[in-house]
């Protein structure tokens, strides 16, 4: 009988499987000194199973539910209703009913209780099932309480609960429900307390919502609430709402809504002393659970009662620093155009490659720029570098700089450089052989790596990779490499600034930089057009590619007419670009070489949308447009005062920009090349570990850090539960949206565009490639779903180099993430595509198929 009922004092976090999240958390609260919890007990999941497990009709209906899709509303509704009817009409077995009756007897028949559902997957750090099952208030009498226990069990199968489980892959057979029966408190005031600000995520700011009557009115959104913000022991903000309505218990059970007297409507629900007392309770509870909490409380007389506490599941994790000082973090992913979560080995490799001070949080990387911003000169340097690239980051950092005392300023000579400067060095010679030499050196370095790594295996292979990464930091970082990149950008910035000043024309460098030489990424997009040309003459190959789902399709091609030619063309492409993929900064991502099938839709799209020779024509057309623009600009400058000098300077800057700008894409291409070589070596080790049954599958190694993998290779031992835990954590991280800027308090600082005179309803962004274009918006969240027609405008969250083959088909680009110097912007300029990036929530505000206008000159999008 004990298995069916547990008092709160008998429950804690170890009893979740029996008492559900709510019941377990109430038990934990009972064990915290100074916390008042109304008494009660849990009807355990064992009781639920006793009622449901052997009911054949019920189990058959659950089998039917499991086959449904989450959008099949009618069938979900019909079958769920049948399930609920069966549970509510099933008599509670005598031993369970007797146990409940015995537990209620000391309270007396007129004592009121709250009867609440407590799901085994509810109120957990990794899931938010809160509010999906039912709660019943002010229930009196044993018979009524037993009836409402059955109703709670049945509420596990409400339409919304079933739909949520279908969406998230939870098995209906495996989810159980406990029921919490808790003595009612009849409060004057009740509410919710978040121990981290739910708006800004600041962990040092506690937020309290309070209103008169029962807290259910507030939880269900029926009433406005007062809001108090507390930092430390100081109330830093208060908003007193007009509270017109309250929910009160009725004399014979149940609740009722009633208006609040006019004189009381605008009175604060809590005194300052009560707010601060509640703040202390909240911090005490948070300290016990070790994570920010969402707490339901009520005030009766002079006593605060806690009726529930659950983890806040929506907060973005905070980078863990080794001190208690204030820190400022900037997202790496927003700069790299890849804001998805990265697996542990991918994070590990990125950290090994970088010299910057970075921290992990939520499966992403953040640069700690605190030291750089510790002087006025450092702040200016950061604003000039990051701010130019992304105005939203600049605006967020401006907010932080404006906060008195947040940043401790150091003497100016302690400035840490945000980016290297070349002050005092002679200007870089305008010589196109410099990037050519840098590319040759890089290719030789990669060829040597490919040769050397073949001779290594086991621990020697991992030690070689670690040593090679350290060596590459010095060998590959020829000081001229960054100078070439900066010289190209500086020349483009000079052209934009001066030509606008002299001739009144904006963004001229965008046209002048079309089809520059040596841009490995834009060449990749055009080269796929050449692959389409090689396949186009062979209808049998095209027809076969349109229907194949075989990852090994290249091996099958030669049996078709023209198949060998098609295979040769694709293989040649993969030799040069096969190490690329979506999210390529994560070494664990599947490369095109590993899954060539991912290129097939892009090739077929090129065959459908373009005539033969389109690749060379597009490049030549861009080159001619740049040349014509140069001649036009130089002629117009000649007519100005000092025109000859202005034209000569401008001509030199155009030459410098065109000689150097294309190289900007090469260093990342070289890194991705090395990543692929390292990855192949790691997979050879993983295959050996699978054979020795150390890991279950090769891809398990992605969930280890590099050092952990090295230790596994050394010892041939691994606790596979660590892999399972990391996989679950990664799945949770995938759902998070990383902030651009956050502080060590966990506060997410959002920036905004400070621009006036935009058209009404225009959506602001950062102009990165000049021109104005209208067309059909194609909102694409995954490159695998990309079906484009020539002339479409691509709207997406972010693009990295792997998206470049799509750029040949589009005539404009809109992204949520990006800056002036990120890959999408560079390629858009080179292809002559008007582009606006950094458009917040673009993929939600713009609907697929809408006609839109993209103004890449002034930086906004209009929905037409």
């Amino acid at each position: 009988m004990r298995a069916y009922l547990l008092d709160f004092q008998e429950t804690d976090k170890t009893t979740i499987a029996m008492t559900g999240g709510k019941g377990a958390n109430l038990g934990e609260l009972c064990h915290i000194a100074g916390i008042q919890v109304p008494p009660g007990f849990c009807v355990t999941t064992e009781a639920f199973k006793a009622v449901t497990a052997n009911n054949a009709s019920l189990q058959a209906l659950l089998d039917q539910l499991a086959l449904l899709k989450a959008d099949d509303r009618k069938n979900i509704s019909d079958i769920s209703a049948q399930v609920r009817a069966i549970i509510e009409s099933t008599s509670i077995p005598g031993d369970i009913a007797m146990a409940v009756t015995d537990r209620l007897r000391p309270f007396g028949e007129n004592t009121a209780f709250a009867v609440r559902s407590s799901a085994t997957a509810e109120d957990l750090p990794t899931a938010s099932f809160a509010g999906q099952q039912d709660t019943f208030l002010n229930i009196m009498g044993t018979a009524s309480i037993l009836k409402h226990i059955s109703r709670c069990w049945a509420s596990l199968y409400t339409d919304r609960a079933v739909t949520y489980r279908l969406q998230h892959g939870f098995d209906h057979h495996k989810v159980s429900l406990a029921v919490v029966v808790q003595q009612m408190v009849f409060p004057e005031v009740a509410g919710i307390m978040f121990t981290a600000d739910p708006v800004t995520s600041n962990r040092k700011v506690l937020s309290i919502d309070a209103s008169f009557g029962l807290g259910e009115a507030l939880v269900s959104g029926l009433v406005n609430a007062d809001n108090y913000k507390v930092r430390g022991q100081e109330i830093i903000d208060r908003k007193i709402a007009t509270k017109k309505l309250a929910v009160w218990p009725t004399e014979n059970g149940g609740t009722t809504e009633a208006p609040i007297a006019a004189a009381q409507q605008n009175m604060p629900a809590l005194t300052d002393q009560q707010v601060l007392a509640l703040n202390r309770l909240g911090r005490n509870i948070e300290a016990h659970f070790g994570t920010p909490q969402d707490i339901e409380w009520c005030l009766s007389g002079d006593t605060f009662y806690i009726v529930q506490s659950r983890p806040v599941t929506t907060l973005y994790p905070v980078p863990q620093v080794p001190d208690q000082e204030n820190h400022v973090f900037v997202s790496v992913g927003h700069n790299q155009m890849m804001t998805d979560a990265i697996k542990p080995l991918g994070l590990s490799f990125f950290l090994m490659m970088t010299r910057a001070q970075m921290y992990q949080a939520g499966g992403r990387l953040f640069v700690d720029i605190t030291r750089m911003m510790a002087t006025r000169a450092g702040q200016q340097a950061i604003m000039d570098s990051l701010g130019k690239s992304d105005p939203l980051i600049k605006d967020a950092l401006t907010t932080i700089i404006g906060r008195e005392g947040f940043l401790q300023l150091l003497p100016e000579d302690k400035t840490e450089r945000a980016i290297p400067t070349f002050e005092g060095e002679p200007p870089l010679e305008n010589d196109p052989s410099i990037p050519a030499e840098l590319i040759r050196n890089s290719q030789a370095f990669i060829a040597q790596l490919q040769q050397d790594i073949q001779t290594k295996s086991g621990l020697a292979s991992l030690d070689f990779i670690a040593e090679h990464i350290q060596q590459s930091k010095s060998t590959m970082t020829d000081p001229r490499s960054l100078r070439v990149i900066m010289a190209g950008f500086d020349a483009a910035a000079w052209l934009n600034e001066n030509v606008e000043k002299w001739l009144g024309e904006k963004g001229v460098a965008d046209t002048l930089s079309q089809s520059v030489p040596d841009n490995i990424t834009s060449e990749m997009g055009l080269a796929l057009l050449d692959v389409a040309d090689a396949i186009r003459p062979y209808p049998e190959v095209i027809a076969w590619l349109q229907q194949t789902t075989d990852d090994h399709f290249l091996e099958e091609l030669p049996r078709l007419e023209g198949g060998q030619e098609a295979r040769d063309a694709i293989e040649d492409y993969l030799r040069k670009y096969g190490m690329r993929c979506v999210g390529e900064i994560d070494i664990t991502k599947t490369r095109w070489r590993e899954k060539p099938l991912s290129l097939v839709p892009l090739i077929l799209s090129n065959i459908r949308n373009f005539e033969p020779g389109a690749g060379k024509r597009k490049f030549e057309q861009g080159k001619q447009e740049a040349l014509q623009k140069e001649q036009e600009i130089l002629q117009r400058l000649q007519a100005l005062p000092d025109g000859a000098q202005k034209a000569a300077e401008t001509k030199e800057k155009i030459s410098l920009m065109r000689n150097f700008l294309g190289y900007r894409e090469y260093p990342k291409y070289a890194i991705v090349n090395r990543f692929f070589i390292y990855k192949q070596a790691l997979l050879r080790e993983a295959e050996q570990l699978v054979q020795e049954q150390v890991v279950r599958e090769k891809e398990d190694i992605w969930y280890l850090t590099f050092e952990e993998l090295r230790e596994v290779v050394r010892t041939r031992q691994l606790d596979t539960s660590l892999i399972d835990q990391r996989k679950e954590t990664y799945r949770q991280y995938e759902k998070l949206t990383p902030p651009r800027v956050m502080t060590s308090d966990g506060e997410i600082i959002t920036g905004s565009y400070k621009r006036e005179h935009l058209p009404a309803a225009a959506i602001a962004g950062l102009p990165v490639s000049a021109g104005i274009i209208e067309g059909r918006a194609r909102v694409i969240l995954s490159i695998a779903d990309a079906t484009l027609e020539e002339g479409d405008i691509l709207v997406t969250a972010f693009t990295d180099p792997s998206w470049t083959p799509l750029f040949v088909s589009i005539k404009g680009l809109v992204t949520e993430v990006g800056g002036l110097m990120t890959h999408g912007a560079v390629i858009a300029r080179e292809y002559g595509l008007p582009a606006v990036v950094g458009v917040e929530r673009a993929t939600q505000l713009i609907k697929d198929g809408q006609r839109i206008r993209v103004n890449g000159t002034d930086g906004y999008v209009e929905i037409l």
Side-chain angles (χ1 to χ4, degrees), residues 778-813:
R778 290 314 316 272
V779 180
I780 295 171
L781 300 180
S782 164
I783 198 169
D785 303 328
T787 309
L788 291 163
E789 292 177 17
E790 191 172 11
D792 283 342
I793 296 171
L794 175 60
V795 180
T796 190
F798 57 81
T799 64
D800 62 10
S802 70
W803 288 68
T804 304
L806 294 183
F807 282 31
V808 299
S809 297
I810 61 176
K811 63 179 180 183
L813 175 69

Side-chain angles (χ1 to χ4, degrees), residues 225-502:
D226 295 347
N227 178 256
Y228 306 88
K229 298 276 173 76
V230 187
R231 181 196 282 272
Q233 277 297 306
E234 181 189 356
I235 300 170
I236 58 171
D237 189 39
R238 61 167 63 74
K239 292 184 175 65
I240 307 304
T242 301
K243 300 171 284 294
K244 295 181 178 179
L245 192 71
V247 173
W248 303 103
T250 59
E251 197 173 322
N252 298 316
T255 61
T256 186
E257 296 172 23
I260 294 171
Q264 195 186 2
Q265 286 181 5
N266 292 301
M267 286 176 57
L270 295 171
T271 66
D272 284 4
Q273 289 81 2
Q274 288 169 336
V275 169
L276 294 176
L278 202 47
N279 170 64
R280 287 190 290 274
L281 292 176
R283 290 301 180 202
N284 196 4
I285 292 167
E286 179 186 59
H288 176 86
F289 284 102
T291 183
Q293 295 290 299
D294 165 3
I295 300 164
E296 293 177 34
W297 57 269
C298 51
L299 176 64
S300 180
D302 295 327
T303 304
F304 281 109
Y305 292 93
I306 305 299
V307 294
Q308 189 46 245
S309 186
R310 64 178 70 86
V312 183
T313 59
T314 54
L315 297 173
Y316 197 87
V318 185
Q320 296 302 301
V321 289
D323 57 50
Q324 298 300 308
E325 303 297 317
N326 290 334
H327 290 260
V328 182
F329 306 102
V330 173
S331 163
V332 173
H334 283 80
N335 188 258
Q336 288 291 332
M337 296 290 270
M338 211 293 273
T339 55
D340 290 347
I342 300 176
K343 296 185 183 80
L345 193 66
L347 292 169
S348 199
F349 260 88
F350 204 100
L351 288 167
M352 289 164 71
M353 303 280 288
T354 185
R355 296 174 181 201
Q357 188 171 15
M358 290 186 188
Y359 293 94
Q360 303 176 38
R364 281 85 171 177
L365 290 169
F366 294 84
V367 182
D368 185 350
I369 61 167
T370 315
R371 292 282 301 173
M372 300 172 199
M373 292 185 68
T375 64
R376 297 294 178 207
Q379 290 171 6
Q380 191 58 51
I382 282 281
M383 292 299 204
D384 287 346
S385 56
L386 288 178
K388 245 182 225 168
S389 177
D390 189 332
L392 295 177
I393 289 179
K394 181 176 185 175
D395 190 52
L397 294 179
T398 303
T399 300
I400 292 171
I401 290 169
R403 286 187 179 167
E404 199 174 331
F406 187 83
L407 293 170
Q408 297 300 314
L409 289 178
L410 300 172
E412 290 298 321
D413 61 353
K414 300 290 186 187
T415 299
E416 283 195 18
R417 295 288 184 191
I419 53 170
T421 62
F422 306 107
E423 291 171 14
E425 296 186 30
L428 196 64
E429 190 180 349
N430 182 7
D431 180 359
S433 71
I434 297 173
E437 183 191 345
L438 290 169
I439 290 169
R440 278 197 308 278
N441 292 346
S442 173
Q443 288 171 337
F445 188 77
I446 288 163
Q448 189 65 50
L449 165 63
Q450 182 78 68
Q451 185 179 324
D452 292 346
I453 207 166
Q454 298 298 331
T455 63
K456 307 289 188 284
S457 64
L459 201 55
S461 180
L462 274 84
D463 288 343
F464 172 80
I465 290 170
E467 192 179 319
H468 191 270
I469 288 171
Q470 292 309 311
Q471 179 195 350
S472 66
K473 283 183 185 175
S474 52
T475 310
M476 288 290 284
T477 314
D478 186 319
R480 294 176 303 169
S481 182
L482 185 56
R483 293 193 68 189
V484 165
I485 292 168
M486 295 310 298
F489 276 121
D490 289 346
W494 187 96
L495 287 164
N496 280 336
E497 186 181 329
N498 286 286
V499 171
E500 185 176 357
K501 183 171 70 180
W502 293 332

Side-chain angles (χ1 to χ4, degrees), residues 48 62 78 82 112 190 227 243 259 307 377 379 426 447 452 454 543-544 566 574 617 630 649 709 737 768 791 840 852:
F48 173 80
L62 295 186
D78 290 347
Q82 293 176 59
N227 178 256
K243 300 171 284 294
V307 294
Q379 290 171 6
D452 292 346
Q454 298 298 331
W544 192 75
L574 290 171
R617 271 199 311 281
E630 178 179 359
E649 274 187 272
L709 175 58
T737 301
V768 294
E840 295 276 71
I852 63 172

Side-chain angles (χ1 to χ4, degrees), residues 494-538:
W494 187 96
L495 287 164
N496 280 336
E497 186 181 329
N498 286 286
V499 171
E500 185 176 357
K501 183 171 70 180
W502 293 332
L503 299 176
E505 185 172 343
K506 281 185 180 179
V508 69
D510 298 350
T511 306
L512 293 167
S513 62
Q514 287 186 61
S515 299
V516 295
D518 295 326
N519 188 319
I520 190 75
T521 307
S522 63
E523 287 169 5
M524 176 176 74
L526 300 175
L528 204 61
L529 288 169
D530 297 340
V531 174
D533 287 351
I535 295 172
R536 190 178 280 105
Y538 304 110

Side-chain angles (χ1 to χ4, degrees), residues 741-782:
V741 178
M742 72 188 305
T743 72
S744 46
D745 293 344
E747 183 178 4
I748 293 170
I749 314 286
T750 53
S752 61
Y753 291 103
K754 301 290 190 276
R755 294 222 300 277
E756 299 169 0
H757 313 304
L758 290 184
I763 310 167
L766 176 66
V768 294
S769 185
I772 300 171
I773 201 78
E774 292 181 13
R776 179 178 71 157
R778 290 314 316 272
V779 180
I780 295 171
L781 300 180
S782 164

